[in-house]
Amino acid sequence: MSSPKTINLSSYPSSPGNESMVHTLIPDREGSFTSTAKHKRSSSRISTKSSITAAASIHSIEQNPTKEHFQEVPPPYSSFSKKRKMSIVAMAALSSFFSPFSANIYFPALNMIQQDMHTTTDLINLTVTVYMVFQGVSPSFWGGLADNWGRRPVYIMTIFIYIMACIGIALAPDYKTLLGMRMLQAFGSSSVIAIGAGTIGDVAVPAERAGYMGMYSMGTMMGPILGPVLGGILSHQLSWRWIFWLLAILSSALWITLVLFLPETLRKLVGDGSGYANPTPFQWYKNYKAKRVHTRFLSVDSAMTAVAHHDKHEVVAKPTKSRFLTLPNPLQSVLYLLEKDVAVVLMYNSLQYAGFYSVLTSMTHLFTDIYHLNELQIGLCFLANGLGAGTGSFTAGRILNWQFKKIANELGLDESQTRRGNMDPSFPIERARMSITWIWGIAFNIAMIIYGWLLHIKAPIAPILFLQAILGYCSTSTFNATSTLLVDLFPRNSSAIVASNNLARCLLGAVAVVIINPGIAAIGVGWMFTTVSLVLFVSRILMVIELRYGHQWRLERTRRIARKEAMDADQR
């Protein structure tokens, strides 16, 4: 009798359920073979009569497998369903909403706060500048924690700090308390901007990432727009202190939602999302219940046998240092600026942000002087910018996803290759994300110049609001493209790289807050916005540089990191 032939097909998907299979061909008396199939997830015996020719055919497949016999299907990047991903991104977007929302909500009430605190205009403007500085610096600390501790605990801690700061500002008796609480408020709220982008990098593959980033950026961009609207209504009808009571109430509701429903997504802790770390109350209870059921049916004898087997055959692992004892490197975000392609993208994005913020921060002063509007009317004028920003967030993500698929099709890549977590380094991701940003950039330049000169001649307010919508659309679309590219470049450290982006743009935004109103007073609103537009126009050359050399710089970094990892492995 011939000896049994065992064919291991464990490296190939063998069924719609992707179960691994081992075939053992056992000869019987008639010279045929019985095939025994053992599955990884379930065992079954399938007996069939086949000829020796069929056995030889299976042996041939084992020796020379081809795509015709087996088609490799990569495992899903994330175990979360599309609906679950949408809910996670929605919670991230709502969290990121509060930082810019808080920065802008009391713009219409600056004069009222100045009178109530018995201080000067310059000192009140200092609260805006200081907030933006802390808004830029804080994510460098929290982003590192989120990449080690996990997203969920950092969300919960920072939103809680933000709630306490809002209550402190609402009760502030003097200017010093107001200034200190504004610093604490920025320290707590700004971190979620970096963490949110990291969360999207955890659950979304590059082919769909831009769409989710569009949804997420809608939260960050609607904050500066809706903030002045609600700020104007509350300060005009009630008091400026009610602005911060409202923030405390809304953020408390968000905090409860995060505690109950936001799952951990950090891939080094939970993999594709099916792992167990930093659980929600529902996940903890489900795990606790499962352990109780398992313990109830585990006999004492089997438990003792398991312990004896463990002691005999296995070595107990030494306890490792808790990840919560690992402190972040606050300079990590600064170190990313040493990468040439990152520096180019961050400078381009930060200048665009400064230009956009110069429009937002000057609105209260200009619309009061030129059109004699009150706080409520000024707040409502911000809705035009909000409409443009919301439209940009919604459409830019879809445009970028379309551009990504278009380039993938040109390169002959199928869906299984584009839906992996990390794209092949040879894929021109820079072109996929940034090749159309020049359109938004030039449109922003033209609209800003016209906007400034219409204000100079005191034109009717309707065309000015229309131009604000265009400025909001172009800026948000650009921010969506640059943020998505940064996450694509560093998917494993997405929170830290977005913290670098936040640091650079908030610092330049703070500079814009400081110089825009004095500049308008010195040379006039028309020439000031023309000057800003020309600076931004010159900065468009940075995108040409990125498209020309970014791919080369990224490949050099990939090879450098590979060499370093190989050296570290040899040393171990």
Side-chain angles (χ1 to χ4, degrees):
M1 181 181 295
S2 302
S3 59
K5 298 181 182 291
T6 300
I7 301 177
N8 189 350
L9 302 180
S10 60
S11 59
Y12 312 111
S14 57
S15 69
N18 290 332
E19 296 175 340
S20 300
M21 185 180 293
V22 176
H23 286 273
T24 303
L25 301 178
I26 305 175
D28 59 16
R29 295 178 179 178
E30 300 176 3
S32 299
F33 287 82
T34 297
S35 175
T36 301
K38 293 184 179 180
H39 292 261
K40 207 171 193 179
R41 297 179 186 168
S42 63
S43 299
S44 63
R45 294 182 60 88
I46 307 172
S47 298
T48 61
K49 294 292 185 177
S50 61
S51 63
I52 299 178
T53 305
S57 176
I58 295 176
H59 182 72
S60 175
I61 292 174
E62 182 195 19
Q63 297 299 320
N64 301 291
T66 63
K67 287 186 177 180
E68 287 74 14
H69 298 116
F70 305 102
Q71 184 176 2
E72 182 180 359
V73 179
Y77 181 71
S78 175
S79 64
F80 296 113
S81 65
K82 184 175 181 180
K83 183 178 179 180
R84 187 65 168 139
K85 289 181 185 178
M86 295 283 283
S87 68
I88 293 172
V89 174
M91 285 186 280
L94 286 173
S95 301
S96 68
F97 169 80
F98 280 95
S99 179
F101 185 64
S102 304
N104 295 271
I105 192 170
Y106 77 161
F107 278 170
L110 290 179
N111 294 334
M112 189 180 295
I113 297 173
Q114 176 190 343
Q115 295 171 4
D116 193 28
M117 291 293 174
H118 306 290
T119 186
T120 65
T121 302
D122 291 339
L123 288 178
I124 290 297
N125 287 338
L126 181 62
T127 63
V128 179
T129 304
V130 166
Y131 185 95
M132 293 195 67
V133 171
F134 272 77
Q135 189 182 37
V137 174
S138 300
S140 300
F141 173 79
W142 292 113
L145 284 183
D147 285 337
N148 287 282
W149 291 11
R151 317 297 189 197
R152 177 176 162 80
V154 177
Y155 267 118
I156 293 173
M157 284 190 299
T158 55
I159 296 298
F160 182 79
I161 292 172
Y162 173 80
I163 294 170
M164 295 298 103
C166 289
I167 296 174
I169 296 174
L171 298 174
D174 51 35
Y175 174 79
K176 293 180 180 178
T177 305
L178 173 67
L179 184 64
M181 289 294 101
R182 284 290 281 177
M183 295 178 186
L184 185 64
Q185 189 184 40
F187 180 71
S189 66
S190 59
S191 62
V192 295
I193 296 177
I195 304 171
T199 302
I200 294 175
D202 293 336
V203 303
V205 296
E208 62 184 5
R209 191 170 290 160
Y212 288 119
M213 285 297 293
M215 293 175 52
Y216 170 73
S217 65
M218 188 178 296
T220 61
M221 293 311 302
M222 293 305 290
I225 309 307
L226 296 181
V229 177
L230 289 178
I233 293 173
L234 290 173
S235 60
H236 183 73
Q237 299 294 330
L238 298 172
S239 166
W240 68 267
R241 295 182 185 274
W242 269 101
I243 292 174
F244 297 97
W245 283 120
L246 176 66
L247 292 177
I249 294 170
L250 294 177
S251 56
S252 296
L254 173 66
W255 186 80
I256 294 172
T257 302
L258 296 177
V259 169
L260 293 178
F261 301 111
L262 181 69
E264 181 57 65
T265 62
L266 183 63
R267 299 189 68 84
K268 71 165 66 173
L269 295 182
V270 297
D272 62 359
S274 59
Y276 183 80
N278 302 328
T280 65
F282 302 106
Q283 290 174 327
W284 179 87
Y285 179 74
K286 183 178 180 180
N287 184 68
Y288 171 76
K289 189 175 180 181
K291 284 184 177 179
R292 288 194 62 183
V293 172
H294 177 72
T295 303
R296 185 182 304 170
F297 290 99
L298 183 65
S299 65
V300 176
D301 291 340
S302 62
M304 294 178 62
T305 301
V307 171
H309 178 78
H310 175 79
D311 292 339
K312 183 178 180 180
H313 295 285
E314 298 191 21
V315 178
V316 178
K318 295 181 179 180
T320 58
K321 182 180 179 181
S322 171
R323 66 179 184 276
F324 294 107
L325 298 178
T326 303
L327 296 178
N329 179 9
L331 298 179
Q332 182 63 46
S333 299
V334 180
L335 294 178
Y336 284 120
L337 297 175
L338 300 179
E339 302 291 344
K340 289 174 282 190
D341 55 340
V342 174
V344 168
V345 174
L346 291 185
M347 180 57 68
Y348 180 86
N349 185 70
S350 300
L351 288 171
Q352 180 67 42
Y353 186 82
F356 180 62
Y357 226 77
S358 68
V359 174
L360 293 180
T361 56
S362 61
M363 276 186 63
T364 301
H365 172 72
L366 290 172
F367 282 29
T368 300
D369 289 349
I370 298 175
Y371 300 104
H372 308 291
L373 304 181
N374 59 35
E375 291 88 353
L376 176 60
Q377 293 169 329
I378 292 172
L380 293 176
C381 288
F382 278 86
L383 288 175
N385 220 318
L387 177 62
T391 305
S393 297
F394 182 79
T395 60
R398 284 155 177 77
I399 293 173
L400 292 174
N401 278 347
W402 168 81
Q403 179 79 352
F404 183 97
K405 293 177 182 177
K406 178 175 176 289
I407 294 176
N409 290 335
E410 292 175 356
L411 298 175
L413 301 177
D414 57 29
E415 185 176 354
S416 64
Q417 293 170 298
T418 61
R419 297 190 70 84
R420 293 172 179 168
N422 297 322
M423 291 297 298
D424 188 279
S426 62
F427 184 84
I429 193 67
E430 294 81 7
R431 183 160 66 93
R433 303 305 189 199
M434 306 301 293
S435 60
I436 59 177
T437 55
W438 67 270
I439 300 175
W440 299 322
I442 298 301
F444 184 92
N445 292 138
I446 296 172
M448 173 170 272
I449 294 175
I450 299 174
Y451 173 78
W453 287 107
L454 286 181
L455 287 172
H456 176 75
I457 65 174
K458 300 182 180 180
I461 199 170
I464 291 174
L465 295 180
F466 174 75
L467 288 170
Q468 282 209 350
I470 295 177
L471 294 172
Y473 174 84
C474 295
S475 295
T476 308
S477 299
T478 301
F479 302 150
N480 190 8
T482 52
S483 297
T484 306
L485 175 60
L486 291 172
V487 174
D488 289 333
L489 294 178
F490 295 91
R492 290 188 297 179
N493 301 96
S494 47
S495 289
I497 187 62
V498 175
S500 299
N501 179 36
N502 201 59
L503 172 64
R505 74 175 190 172
C506 286
L507 292 181
L508 284 183
V511 173
V513 171
V514 171
I515 68 174
I516 187 64
N517 285 327
I520 291 173
I523 63 176
V525 62
W527 283 113
M528 186 61 192
F529 281 116
T530 300
T531 302
V532 174
S533 180
L534 291 176
V535 172
L536 294 178
F537 179 77
V538 174
S539 73
R540 307 303 178 201
I541 192 66
L542 293 171
M543 275 304 94
V544 178
I545 296 174
E546 173 65 14
L547 292 173
R548 175 66 178 84
Y549 299 104
H551 183 253
Q552 173 185 336
W553 291 335
R554 177 165 53 87
L555 291 179
E556 290 175 356
R557 178 172 59 250
T558 301
R559 289 192 289 266
R560 185 178 72 246
I561 293 175
R563 288 195 300 267
K564 183 178 182 300
E565 291 177 348
M567 292 176 61
D568 292 342
D570 292 340
Q571 291 177 357
R572 288 195 296 267

